[in-house]
Amino acid sequence: QVQLVESGGGLVQAGGFLRLSCAASGRTSSVYDIAWFRQALGKEREFVGRITWSGPNTYYADSVKGRFTISRDTVKNTVYLQMNSLKPEDTAVYYCAASVVAGGHRYWGQGTQVTVSS
């Protein structure tokens, strides 16, 4: 199993920035990729982006492309989500989720709240 803990959420004004962290433990040597998702109040969970552990390769949702950047530190077993030019519509609980095989089961963190005020 892989355990994930997110941190770094908070309240920020529109146009500002935040960096979220996702610290992984457990079977980290087996991680294939770690993805970020978000869920706004009353809405379905939305894919934000992901990074493969090897490579790495990154993929982003169109809604965040050019504003968000995902990176990883394999020594610290941590993935980061740098969020710039934040908009009120980015307000959501952000979750990281790891998979050990492509397209396989995901292990989830507890989430961290990001609130962007206008």
Side-chain angles (χ1 to χ4, degrees):
Q1 288 196 353
V2 179
Q3 293 80 42
L4 302 170
V5 178
E6 301 97 333
S7 61
L11 173 65
V12 64
Q13 289 188 333
F17 62 91
L18 279 175
R19 189 178 80 158
L20 305 184
S21 299
C22 172
S25 60
R27 290 179 56 196
T28 55
S29 60
S30 301
V31 169
Y32 169 73
D33 71 1
I34 291 183
W36 287 95
F37 294 82
R38 65 187 182 186
Q39 188 165 21
L41 193 63
K43 295 188 177 181
E44 293 190 355
R45 187 169 58 201
E46 174 189 20
F47 170 78
V48 173
R50 67 182 181 93
I51 186 167
T52 58
W53 211 242
S54 64
N57 296 312
T58 52
Y59 307 87
Y60 299 95
D62 288 344
S63 58
V64 306
K65 202 172 292 183
R67 299 188 298 123
F68 290 9
T69 302
I70 300 175
S71 61
R72 58 105 171 95
D73 183 328
T74 56
V75 173
K76 295 182 178 179
N77 290 324
T78 299
V79 168
Y80 303 99
L81 177 64
Q82 178 69 42
M83 306 185 293
N84 298 330
S85 302
L86 283 162
K87 305 175 182 180
E89 51 263 45
D90 294 318
T91 295
V93 178
Y94 283 71
Y95 300 89
C96 61
S99 65
V100 296
V101 295
H105 169 78
R106 287 201 176 274
Y107 300 93
W108 293 84
Q110 82 288 352
T112 185
Q113 175 71 47
V114 171
T115 303
V116 184
S117 63
S118 57

